[in-house]
Amino acid sequence: MPQTSSGPVLQLLASGLQRWVRSRCDSVDELNLALQGSAVELLRGRLKGVSLEARRLSFDQLPLMRAELQSGELKTLFRPGQPSQPVQLKEPFTIRGEVVLSGTDLNKALATDRWRWLADLLAEKLMGLSPLRSLEIDNDRLVLTAEVITGTKPVQGSFHLCADQGTIRLNNWKAEGKFLLPMDPSIRINDARLQGGQLVIKGDATVQP
């Protein structure tokens, strides 16, 4: 796992960045952060990058089992006189890496008010029905179950997924048709796959400080 960089200046910066990362998340159980660069570079207002590994975290009410991220160069303002925020990030920066979600956690997230719209959109676009009752990851298949208004037996469908055009594409397991997930323009998905009951996503994003 990444370790906090040595040296008092870099340790102060690492501590400040950890607090900033935690402030952007709903919760984080485990967070490890390492800096690439030197105190001299930091005092000149730049840092080569930051690597981060977190486990059991929630971001925007989306629970993640694991996140491994690497940033590009950071332009910083070092403020040793303000221990609560010893570093200020001056400009947007890029990150790239991998996040992992369990099928169980994803199913729970889609039932929340925050993500219910996405659950129903999936059911409507992929199955022609709404609302979505549940989501399950079965090996390399995404299994969706949707309610039927008449109260008859719920309808179930199986789907592949992959990265396509900077987002995630879902294909029906047996029939024609595909659906591209709506994606934040600051995020680009480069790889997406299902394995062992988990959704693994690789991509990059631009972060506003």
Side-chain angles (χ1 to χ4, degrees):
M1 291 184 181
Q3 299 295 322
T4 301
S5 301
S6 59
V9 175
L10 291 182
Q11 285 181 353
L12 182 62
L13 173 58
S15 178
L17 285 175
Q18 283 195 6
R19 285 195 294 270
W20 181 79
V21 170
R22 287 184 179 276
S23 73
R24 299 292 291 263
C25 297
D26 306 318
S27 63
V28 183
D29 281 2
E30 182 180 332
L31 176 63
N32 294 280
L33 182 147
L35 308 181
Q36 287 85 52
S38 66
V40 173
E41 290 174 321
L42 173 62
L43 295 175
R44 291 175 177 171
R46 67 178 186 271
L47 197 65
K48 290 181 179 178
V50 176
S51 60
L52 178 149
E53 181 177 323
R55 295 182 183 275
R56 298 178 299 279
L57 68 154
S58 176
F59 178 77
D60 198 15
Q61 300 182 39
L62 194 63
L64 307 177
M65 294 180 61
R66 175 173 56 82
E68 294 182 2
L69 305 174
Q70 172 68 50
S71 81
E73 183 177 274
L74 305 176
K75 293 188 178 180
T76 63
L77 176 62
F78 184 50
R79 306 184 301 178
Q82 300 187 37
S84 62
Q85 191 179 8
V87 62
Q88 180 180 349
L89 300 175
K90 296 173 62 177
E91 297 180 5
F93 59 94
T94 59
I95 59 171
R96 63 184 55 86
E98 177 180 284
V99 297
V100 180
L101 304 86
S102 75
T104 300
D105 286 343
L106 185 55
N107 183 54
K108 291 179 180 177
L110 291 176
T112 64
D113 292 340
R114 172 67 181 88
W115 294 105
R116 186 75 231 182
W117 69 271
L118 179 57
D120 293 341
L121 182 64
L122 287 172
E124 180 180 343
K125 294 295 185 180
L126 294 171
M127 304 172 70
L129 296 168
S130 184
L132 183 71
R133 180 176 180 179
S134 66
L135 172 150
E136 180 184 357
I137 297 176
D138 180 13
N139 294 319
D140 61 345
R141 296 186 303 161
L142 188 68
V143 181
L144 303 180
T145 302
E147 298 284 3
V148 179
I149 297 177
T150 58
T152 58
K153 185 178 179 181
V155 175
Q156 196 171 78
S158 297
F159 305 89
H160 291 292
L161 65 77
C162 63
D164 185 14
Q165 300 178 48
T167 184
I168 296 176
R169 187 185 78 210
L170 294 102
N171 297 326
N172 193 297
W173 185 268
K174 297 180 179 179
E176 294 293 329
K178 65 180 182 180
F179 174 58
L180 294 174
L181 287 182
M183 188 60 59
D184 187 313
S186 67
I187 299 173
R188 180 174 180 82
I189 305 300
N190 300 317
D191 181 46
R193 64 186 186 278
L194 300 172
Q195 61 180 45
Q198 299 174 354
L199 169 59
V200 182
I201 301 172
K202 294 182 179 180
D204 50 71
T206 299
V207 179
Q208 300 292 334

